[in-house]
Amino acid sequence: MTGRPHPRRLALISVHTSPLAQPGTGDAGGLNVYVWQTATRLARRGVEVEIFTRATSSADEPSVQAAPGVTVKHVPAGPFDGLDKRDLPAQLCAFSANVLRAEAAHEPGYYDLIHSHYWLSGQVGWLARDRWGVPLVHTAHTLAAVKNASLAVGDTAEPMLRVIGEQQVVDEADRLIVNTPTEASELVDLYGADASRVDVVVPGADLDRYSPGSKLAARGALGLDADDVLVTFVGRIQPLKAPDVLLRAIAPLIHADTTGRLRLLVVGGPSGNGLGLPDTLIGLAAELGVADRVTFLPPQPADRLAQVYRASDLVSVPSYSESFGLVAVEAQACGTPVLAADVGGLGVAVADGVTGRLVAGHDIETWTGHLADLLADPDRLRAMGTAAGIHAQKFSWDHTTDALLESYDRAVAAHRRAAGRSTGIFGLRRLRPRTRITV
Ligand code: UDP
């Protein structure tokens, strides 16, 4: 800790998705959970948090008191409906103008710090930072250059527009926050980030909500059969998450299963730019002759999702690319082992051979082999589940929030030092020119 007071009032920018949206479908996923969990904890530590997100419904109130100390500001920028995430760059001017106007309605110096999430928000934060003369902390969450290096079959590459936009934000932000040391290296190697401005802040799980519990009770609550062997996928249904790989891998085991008890559970809705799934997945299950052994559930609220994890014998996260993989930590926190692709943050989230297995590549036969291996040994699976529950205790949003505050403090301290250098002895001069917008 720096010993200095933390920022008083934080402008948190999340342009493309609201923390109030149900995660697991559309553009709502881990970022929304991250923003909500850290914002509420920052507020409990005395930081007033205002979250700026794009209004996507005429019913959105301009300002919503979402939790004590957390306000969500719905910013008008483009039409409410039908605007694809890929069209959002054209709305950044409107979004930024309205964020600047909101600040201008307050006394000068209203916000101490800006934290932007995802590159679109970083673009807004960059402008606001220059206007307000406060530091900008940025979390990319995913990087186009990393995603493009491991695209799923049928997935479209992230456009150059995004790579350029990300690069600008990396160059401009006062501090950059990443989920893992690997991501820190990617920022430095692929985007030329200054390593001394990068902080590794590991995400968490809501350990009060995601905790071990009775498998039988969870299955009862969800209407699932007590005797089934249940492998589960949770997440937005999109090529990047590879639910099709899991389905293809488990199909031969379902065919070979003489007890008729092996079942795949798929929880989540289509992603903004998904395959048109789950329709495609349902079609694939039929094509593979396993439709009657695959259950699809729409996106679930967190309390029911905890029951899903507890009800499962194994949770699988086969993604092609994953900045961290909150699902893997949440499942383990519920005492369920995880079979995950050895990509991105999943290598941190899952302890290979202890709390689950990490699989290199996406070869279907290899995945079938790992599934068969784990499912053949229920005692080992149970032991891995117990170890998973213990391992997951390392990941809590409280730790994440503490580390965020340290990063914020560093950003503020560096900003003050720089301001001091440019101030001279005769008075206060702003580090950057500031033009106030009159409403
Ligand atoms: N999630 C949810 N309900 C669902 C499916 C997912 O609340 O039906 C949440 C899940 O709890 C997790 C987040 O969505 O916190 C997904 O985060 P993850 O990092 O696994 O993937 P991302 O969406 O960031 O790619």
Side-chain angles (χ1 to χ4, degrees):
M1 302 293 288
T2 60
R4 290 187 185 82
H6 298 313
R8 246 175 338 116
R9 206 176 278 120
L10 170 70
L12 195 157
I13 303 178
S14 175
V15 171
H16 78 284
T17 183
S18 164
L20 301 180
Q22 166 65 54
T25 192
D27 288 328
L31 186 155
N32 307 62
V33 173
Y34 189 115
V35 165
W36 179 254
Q37 292 292 337
T38 55
T40 48
R41 282 167 175 78
L42 285 166
R44 276 182 232 145
R45 285 158 173 76
V47 182
E48 208 175 305
V49 184
E50 295 195 5
I51 304 173
F52 292 90
T53 190
R54 200 176 79 84
T56 54
S57 159
S58 56
D60 284 341
E61 292 290 335
S63 182
V64 177
Q65 185 73 48
V70 181
T71 310
V72 175
K73 304 270 189 192
H74 290 115
V75 179
F80 295 129
D81 292 321
L83 199 63
D84 192 271
K85 189 174 167 189
R86 284 166 295 196
D87 296 326
L88 287 179
Q91 296 304 325
L92 290 182
C93 180
F95 192 98
S96 303
N98 283 319
V99 169
L100 296 182
R101 283 174 183 163
E103 190 266 355
H106 297 289
E107 73 275 14
Y110 191 71
Y111 301 106
D112 308 302
L113 187 108
I114 302 164
H115 188 171
S116 54
H117 292 266
Y118 195 65
W119 76 275
L120 294 167
S121 308
Q123 292 274 321
V124 178
W126 168 17
L127 179 64
R129 186 275 312 269
D130 276 10
R131 289 284 190 256
W132 303 345
V134 298
L136 169 66
V137 176
H138 177 70
T139 307
H141 288 275
T142 59
L143 293 168
V146 175
K147 195 179 162 194
N148 286 347
S150 51
L151 279 182
V153 180
D155 210 351
T156 44
E158 290 297 316
M160 191 45 73
L161 169 88
R162 175 176 167 187
V163 179
I164 295 167
E166 282 178 343
Q167 182 67 61
Q168 291 166 330
V169 177
V170 168
D171 293 345
E172 289 291 334
D174 294 85
R175 293 208 79 76
L176 296 157
I177 290 179
V178 293
N179 291 334
T180 61
T182 306
E183 233 180 17
S185 307
E186 287 163 351
L187 260 191
V188 171
D189 297 344
L190 303 175
Y191 290 81
D194 166 7
S196 69
R197 289 189 297 119
V198 180
D199 291 316
V200 177
V201 175
V202 182
D206 182 347
L207 298 174
D208 294 329
R209 185 168 266 151
Y210 297 112
S211 59
S214 157
K215 183 178 290 183
L216 273 186
R219 288 188 179 193
L222 296 168
L224 297 168
D225 197 306
D227 297 324
D228 278 351
V229 175
L230 201 61
V231 177
T232 300
F233 170 93
V234 173
R236 279 177 287 167
I237 298 178
Q238 55 180 339
L240 180 88
K241 297 271 178 192
D244 49 327
V245 169
L246 180 60
L247 180 53
R248 286 182 193 281
I250 203 171
L253 300 180
I254 290 176
H255 285 302
D257 172 31
T258 49
T259 66
R261 286 296 180 194
L262 182 55
R263 177 170 287 281
L264 176 64
L265 177 62
V266 177
V267 182
S271 162
N273 58 355
L275 277 175
L277 295 168
D279 286 354
T280 311
L281 264 197
I282 293 169
L284 181 60
E287 199 183 298
L288 295 168
V290 295
D292 60 332
R293 306 300 301 162
V294 182
T295 303
F296 291 90
L297 286 181
Q300 301 291 307
D303 286 335
R304 274 187 63 94
L305 192 56
Q307 300 283 42
V308 166
Y309 293 135
R310 289 182 196 123
S312 305
D313 293 292
L314 182 67
V315 166
S316 186
V317 187
S319 312
Y320 284 93
S321 160
E322 199 71 68
S323 165
F324 189 68
L326 296 182
V327 160
V329 177
E330 292 163 2
Q332 292 176 94
C334 289
T336 304
V338 174
L339 177 65
D342 191 4
V343 297
L346 290 169
V348 174
V350 178
D352 190 26
V354 181
T355 68
R357 287 311 310 265
L358 291 168
V359 184
H362 291 82
D363 172 65
I364 303 295
E365 277 183 31
T366 307
W367 276 80
T368 303
H370 279 286
L371 280 169
D373 189 36
L374 287 172
L375 296 175
D377 192 346
D379 288 341
R380 181 167 170 237
L381 215 48
R382 265 192 295 278
M384 281 182 158
T386 305
I390 297 164
H391 175 69
Q393 298 304 309
K394 290 184 202 154
F395 304 99
S396 91
W397 289 118
D398 285 315
H399 292 154
T400 309
T401 306
D402 289 339
L404 283 183
L405 280 170
E406 285 178 23
S407 181
Y408 293 170
D409 292 350
R410 270 180 224 127
V412 170
H415 193 76
R416 283 190 187 142
R417 278 197 302 275
R421 278 199 296 275
S422 68
T423 294
I425 52 167
F426 292 114
L428 296 168
R429 184 152 54 83
R430 283 193 183 280
L431 185 61
R432 293 189 172 86
R434 178 178 159 108
T435 310
R436 291 187 66 81
I437 294 178
T438 314
V439 231

